[in-house]
Amino acid sequence: MPTHEDEYFRLRDEQLEHRLGRERGLSRRELVRLGAAGALALAAGPALRTATARAQAPAGPIVKPLPPEWFTVLGTNAEMRWEAMRGEDYVTPAAKFFVRNHTATPLIDARTWRLQVFGSGLRRPEGREFSLRDLLKLPSREIPAFIECAGNGRSLFGSQQGTPAAGSAWKLGAIGVARWRGVPLREVLERAGVTRRAVDVLPEGLDATVVAGGADQGHVRRPLPVEKALDDALLAYEMNGAPIPPDHGFPLRLVVPGWIGIASIKWLGRIEVADRPLFSYWNTTQYRMVGPDYPPDAPPLTTQPVKSAFELPWGGSLPAGRTRLTGRSWSGGRPIRRVEVRIDGPGGAGPVRRARLHGPDKEHAWVRWSIDADLREPGAHALLARATDRDGVTQPDTVPFNTNGYQFWAVARHPVTVTAG
Ligand SMILES: Nc1nc2c(c(=O)[nH]1)N[C@H]1C(S)=C(S)[C@@H](COP(=O)(O)O)O[C@H]1N2
Ligand SMILES: [Mo]
């Protein structure tokens, strides 16, 4: 019987073969002749045969196809169009999952790749290395969790509150939920000899270093407190039951449930465990609230607030008459307790009605909901959904401005035009 890891590497070979065939215009026959190992060497060149895996230069910032009916491309990022989730099951298929890349997706050879765990918070600071095979032998867990960019909804600071914020102009599609399988970070830290003196854990990506604010900020990395690292952080090697695709962190990404997306470092190469607080561009200059309503030393952002989205095109049209509106709501804290929907039309605000919740309502993921509407008046409408989680946290009508446009969690006014039936 094939072991989990045989299956894993077989799948990877198939994926690689498929992608290389597309990229290089090789036929399946030619690829089979080269063999998976040959195909790998062709992809990577001699460098990959050294013991430490290195990221390879990718063709573009994102490897997977980005069909325009599913995605809006924003620089090196791709936002999911919410209408792509309509009729989908609980999770977002990997093919439809948004991508947020500071630079570009690296192509990494899983066979030579190693994870280095080191630092002053370990019994032996030189630490140890783990291969993917090592990790696959450790106890695994599968959890549903969203990855959501802290800047999701940023453009609504401008369109809804009249105060545009700097950064990628996401609407609400910088989120997806997947089933992530991997090794709890705790298992790896314990095997690496984490001590009681450990304070911060710093995961670092193998993608290119980031030039920002006039300086090279180094590799994408962001410390998290050892408490969260030992609690529910997961070193994920599977997304929705298949190896994580390149764009989402192959061969290994961190998943930090409930926290802003930047915590979930992709393409992990190194994890420092330190006996003192650690800092990077991503927990000092970035990902803190800066604005007139925030103190000058606001703490780094962690848990995501409560939000909702309709599974409809932004600014699309709906025929007048009876229609079923669907959407999803989520919270970085607790599962969702209720969702209230209001429809504002040319004649003013409609009544507030409870949406019906469907299926799973998991912590650190989302819940699906629906509501039947009867749209009578043609013209411009706004669809509003307000979610409340089980801690009683409710989406507000407005949120205080912050210059980087993080965590827009006010009730969104989703624009639609009702056309005469
Ligand atoms: N190594 C690395 N990890 C990263 C990033 C990155 O650019 N490089 N982007 C982060 C940000 S800002 C977000 S929102 C999520 C996006 O994950 P996704 O592309 O799988 O949707 O990955 C995070 N992890
Ligand atoms: Mo992000």
Side-chain angles (χ1 to χ4, degrees):
M1 227 186 97
T3 63
H4 184 178
E5 64 191 277
D6 290 339
E7 175 65 4
Y8 182 87
F9 284 106
R10 192 185 58 69
L11 267 167
R12 279 311 300 160
D13 283 346
E14 280 174 13
Q15 286 189 342
L16 188 69
E17 231 181 72
H18 178 72
R19 187 164 50 70
L20 284 177
R22 270 209 333 262
E23 278 171 14
R24 314 220 166 207
L26 297 178
S27 70
R28 164 128 192 121
R29 274 250 302 297
E30 287 167 310
L31 280 165
V32 170
R33 194 149 39 78
L34 280 165
L40 255 176
L42 180 74
L48 266 195
R49 283 182 231 116
T50 60
T52 45
R54 286 299 123 209
Q56 296 303 298
I62 296 174
V63 170
K64 71 182 176 185
L66 300 171
E69 61 277 21
W70 295 350
F71 292 104
T72 308
V73 175
L74 300 165
T76 56
N77 314 308
E79 171 164 12
M80 183 198 71
R81 292 179 183 276
W82 261 99
E83 60 268 36
M85 284 310 291
R86 192 169 174 113
E88 283 293 352
D89 216 330
Y90 189 66
V91 299
T92 311
K96 294 185 176 179
F97 211 94
F98 87 101
V99 182
R100 162 65 173 122
N101 281 350
H102 280 74
T103 61
T105 295
L107 299 178
I108 294 169
D109 177 2
R111 288 162 221 242
T112 50
W113 172 91
R114 297 290 181 274
L115 175 68
Q116 294 168 0
V117 185
F118 65 97
S120 58
L122 301 181
R123 274 197 294 283
R124 294 183 323 116
E126 62 275 27
R128 61 171 284 193
E129 279 192 355
F130 296 83
S131 68
L132 194 55
R133 288 198 146 86
D134 294 334
L135 296 175
L136 288 163
K137 287 179 195 141
L138 299 182
S140 77
R141 254 192 96 192
E142 190 179 60
I143 52 164
F146 65 68
I147 303 286
E148 183 185 22
C149 191
N152 193 26
R154 179 180 286 125
S155 70
L156 280 70
F157 276 105
S159 62
Q160 203 163 301
Q161 300 192 168
T163 50
S168 281
W170 304 109
K171 292 189 177 76
L172 287 170
I175 181 166
V177 167
R179 283 183 288 112
W180 305 98
R181 175 176 291 283
V183 190
L185 178 54
R186 165 190 277 276
E187 300 281 349
V188 165
L189 294 184
E190 281 172 354
R191 280 165 179 82
V194 64
T195 69
R196 292 165 147 276
R197 299 215 320 275
V199 172
D200 266 2
V201 173
L202 180 61
E204 183 179 299
L206 288 167
D207 42 339
T209 63
V210 176
V211 177
D216 190 330
Q217 307 292 351
H219 290 287
V220 178
R221 62 199 192 286
R222 189 184 200 247
L224 71 158
V226 75
E227 292 75 21
K228 182 72 174 173
L230 294 175
D231 179 15
D232 58 357
L234 189 72
L235 294 169
Y237 45 72
E238 277 183 18
M239 179 182 191
N240 297 338
I244 294 188
D247 295 312
H248 300 290
F250 182 83
L252 193 76
R253 89 172 295 166
L254 188 63
V255 173
V256 182
W259 283 28
I260 59 174
I262 187 63
S264 295
I265 297 292
K266 304 192 274 188
W267 315 296
L268 281 176
R270 303 178 350 135
I271 299 179
E272 181 178 350
V273 184
D275 63 4
R276 56 183 196 290
L278 296 174
F279 300 95
S280 80
Y281 178 64
W282 293 271
N283 74 333
T284 53
T285 319
Q286 298 289 294
Y287 301 106
R288 289 173 182 256
M289 292 300 203
V290 176
D293 297 311
Y294 293 98
D297 53 351
L301 294 173
T302 57
T303 307
Q304 284 290 66
V306 184
K307 296 197 211 176
S308 305
F310 287 89
E311 297 169 338
L312 283 172
W314 193 263
S317 57
L318 285 170
R322 292 186 168 278
T323 184
R324 175 159 297 178
L325 303 173
T326 63
R328 303 185 188 226
S329 298
W330 61 96
S331 161
R334 304 265 291 119
I336 298 299
R337 178 188 288 158
R338 69 169 180 276
V339 178
E340 293 152 315
V341 172
R342 195 181 89 199
I343 302 174
D344 292 1
V352 173
R353 292 187 300 137
R354 282 282 272 272
R356 242 173 311 133
L357 308 188
H358 301 282
D361 181 8
K362 303 274 192 183
E363 188 166 37
H364 306 137
W366 55 25
V367 69
R368 286 167 286 172
W369 46 259
S370 70
I371 192 161
D372 292 324
D374 191 4
L375 303 166
R376 298 208 174 146
E377 275 178 297
H381 286 64
L383 309 178
L384 291 78
R386 185 194 308 274
T388 301
D389 75 10
R390 291 191 203 159
D391 277 338
V393 183
T394 297
Q395 292 183 255
D397 290 327
T398 60
V399 285
F401 177 72
N402 72 91
T403 52
N404 285 316
Y406 297 132
Q407 295 188 327
F408 184 95
W409 65 297
V411 175
R413 299 181 61 85
H414 186 123
V416 291
T417 301
V418 175
T419 55

